[in-house]
């Protein structure tokens, strides 16, 4: 008999008439059953959400959606379920749909910094795809949500980094500004110094001070807890400035660091993406994508179904249509309606 069935049976027994001398005992038992049932339901919901998050990190979008839809059918006002479903849709590039779930998560728990951060991320993606007038208001909302995330949790390195990047890239009309980005770098100094140096590198590069940018990237590497990411950031910098031998050296160091660090598997994806953008060494890009997919430490930062699509494109370009078809099928097995996979040529 399931836990839910046992609790239901218990409560039915407790509801039966009893003699006056034991009626209070039955009443107490009934209350205990109701409380136990509520605790069991809460525990089941927590387990279900943990499983959904594991599926999200593994790139199993369809399985995550099924679990989260069931959770919301049980309790439509579960803030964490709404946030997780927003993040699944974000990975699937269904940003308008994602926004609805993120908005609801923030509405249900406005004090959770991570909910504001994810709403800011989704809104930023919508802004980048909107018409000029819509983009203006969406960009302002992006800033507001990211600022809320930082206000609620000033020690969240991801939130600070995202806000710093927004300030750096956005025009002043929507609240951007290089000086503001510099202020965020100062806040990051005491939170995660590697990210602080990386943001200062981006500021210097925007100011066309390439020597300072490279110096800051090297400082980020020296301060890094997970240096694979900083090696790949350095490789990306060298790519942008066509320093090919330096790029290749940084990529090799980044790959070696990622293979030693279970928290840095995404750096393998980053390295492959750099090679794709450089249109160089396709075989190495394929190998890095495959290494990431083989890792047990995949995350939602690089959804597995998206990596399968990228790998399919590379295999097709390098004369392996059968391999490309296998990768397309693998992507759709994880996310049956992922449009980039559906758009791949057979």
């Amino acid at each position: 008999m399931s836990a839910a069935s046992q609790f239901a049976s218990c409560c039915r027994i407790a509801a039966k008439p009893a003699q006056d001398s034991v009626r209070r005992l039955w009443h107490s038992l009934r209350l205990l059953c109701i409380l136990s049932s509520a605790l069991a339901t809460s525990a089941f919901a927590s387990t279900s959400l943990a499983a959904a998050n594991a599926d999200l990190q593994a790139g199993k979008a369809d399985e995550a959606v099924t679990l989260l839809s069931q959770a919301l059918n049980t309790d439509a006002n579960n803030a964490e379920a709404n946030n997780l479903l927003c993040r699944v849709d974000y990975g699937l590039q269904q940003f308008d749909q994602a926004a609805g779930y993120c908005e609801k998560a923030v509405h249900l728990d406005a004090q959770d910094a991570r909910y504001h951060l994810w709403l800011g991320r989704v809104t930023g993606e919508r802004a980048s795809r909107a018409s000029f007038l819509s983009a203006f208001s969406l960009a302002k909302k992006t800033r507001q949500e990211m600022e809320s995330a930082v206000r609620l949790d000033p020690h969240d390195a991801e939130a600070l980094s995202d806000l710093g990047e927004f300030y750096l890239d956005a025009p002043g009309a929507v609240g951007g500004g290089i000086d503001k980005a510099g202020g965020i770098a100062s806040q990051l100094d005491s939170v995660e110094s590697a990210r602080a140096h990386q943001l200062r590198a981006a500021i210097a590069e925007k100011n066309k001070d390439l020597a300072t940018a490279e110096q800051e990237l090297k400082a980020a590497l020296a301060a890094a807890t997970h240096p694979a990411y900083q090696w790949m950031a350095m490789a990306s910098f060298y790519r942008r400035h066509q320093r090919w031998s330096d790029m290749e050296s940084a990529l090799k160091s980044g790959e070696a660091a990622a293979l030693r660090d279970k928290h840095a598997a995404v750096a393998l994806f980053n390295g492959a993406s750099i090679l794709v953008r450089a249109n160089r060494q396709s075989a190495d890009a394929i190998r890095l994508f495959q290494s990431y997919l083989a890792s047990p430490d995949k995350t939602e930062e690089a959804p597995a179904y998206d990596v399968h699509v990228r790998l399919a494109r590379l295999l097709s370009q390098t004369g392996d249509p059968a391999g490309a078809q296998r990768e397309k099928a693998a992507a759709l097995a994880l996310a049956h309606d992922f449009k980039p996979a559906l758009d791949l040529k057979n």
Side-chain angles (χ1 to χ4, degrees):
M1 181 180 293
S2 69
S5 298
Q6 289 175 335
F7 286 126
S9 176
C10 173
C11 291
R12 283 196 297 272
I13 292 171
K16 292 179 179 180
Q19 296 178 358
D20 289 343
S21 59
V22 295
R23 189 176 299 278
R24 285 192 297 274
L25 175 62
W26 285 113
H27 180 66
S28 297
L29 177 60
R30 179 177 174 82
L31 290 176
L32 178 61
C33 287
I34 292 171
L35 176 60
S36 299
S37 180
L39 291 173
T41 299
S42 176
F44 175 79
S46 296
T47 300
S48 179
L49 293 183
N53 185 51
D55 287 336
L56 169 62
Q57 302 310 316
K60 299 176 182 178
D62 288 348
E63 294 183 26
V65 168
T66 297
L67 287 172
L68 292 168
S69 297
Q70 291 171 351
L72 289 176
N73 284 338
T74 301
D75 179 9
N77 291 325
N78 187 309
E80 182 63 11
N82 277 283
N83 174 255
L84 286 170
L85 196 47
C86 165
R87 287 156 59 183
V88 175
D89 283 338
Y90 180 94
L92 292 169
Q93 301 176 24
Q94 298 173 358
F95 300 115
D96 289 341
Q97 184 168 298
Y101 292 114
C102 266
E103 289 274 10
K104 188 162 186 179
V106 167
H107 175 73
L108 291 167
D109 187 356
Q111 298 306 304
D112 192 303
R114 301 295 287 179
Y115 295 168
H116 285 281
L117 176 59
W118 275 104
L119 180 54
R121 287 171 170 172
V122 169
T123 306
E125 292 292 343
R126 294 178 68 206
S128 70
R129 292 161 171 79
S131 65
F132 177 77
L133 290 178
S134 296
F136 183 83
S137 60
L138 287 170
K140 290 177 67 176
K141 181 175 176 60
T142 299
R143 173 182 55 76
Q144 291 164 356
E145 293 301 329
M146 290 183 173
E147 287 176 342
S148 292
V150 169
R151 174 178 54 79
L152 289 166
D153 187 356
H155 301 292
D156 187 328
E158 285 189 27
L160 284 163
S161 293
D162 280 17
L163 181 57
E165 291 172 9
F166 176 88
Y167 285 152
L168 182 60
D169 295 333
V174 296
I178 290 179
D179 289 345
K180 288 184 176 181
I184 295 296
S186 295
Q187 287 182 252
L188 275 166
D189 280 329
S190 61
V191 176
E192 190 174 324
S193 58
R195 288 181 186 261
H197 287 297
Q198 248 180 279
L199 180 54
R200 288 195 178 97
I203 293 169
E205 188 174 3
K206 186 156 189 173
N207 286 329
K208 304 188 185 305
D209 183 354
L210 301 186
T212 298
E214 185 173 9
Q215 181 180 350
E216 288 291 345
L217 286 170
K218 290 179 178 178
L221 181 60
T225 304
H226 304 288
Y229 295 111
Q230 279 66 41
W231 277 118
M232 295 309 184
M234 190 170 290
S236 184
F237 171 79
Y238 292 140
R239 178 199 65 79
R240 289 192 295 276
H241 301 288
Q242 300 183 13
R243 292 172 56 176
W244 305 123
S245 62
D246 288 331
M247 179 193 80
E248 291 166 10
S249 178
L251 282 169
K252 288 178 182 178
S253 296
E255 179 182 5
L259 293 174
R260 294 192 301 266
D261 183 356
K262 70 176 184 177
H263 298 292
V266 175
L268 298 169
F269 167 83
N270 295 344
S273 300
I274 290 166
L275 289 172
V276 170
R277 295 192 68 178
N279 195 27
R280 298 170 71 91
Q281 299 173 304
S282 295
D284 285 339
I286 289 170
R287 179 175 52 77
L288 287 169
F289 278 143
Q290 290 172 335
S291 293
Y292 174 72
L293 288 171
S295 169
D297 303 305
K298 295 182 286 292
T299 79
E300 65 187 294
E301 293 178 62
Y305 50 83
D306 182 48
V307 181
H308 281 297
V309 169
R310 293 168 188 255
L311 188 50
R313 292 182 185 132
L314 268 179
L315 291 171
S316 179
Q317 292 166 9
T318 54
D320 185 359
Q325 188 60 32
R326 285 194 300 272
E327 296 300 327
K328 175 181 179 178
L332 292 173
L334 295 170
H336 75 279
D337 60 348
F338 186 47
K339 191 173 184 302
L342 294 170
D343 289 344
L344 289 173
K345 295 180 180 178
N346 294 325

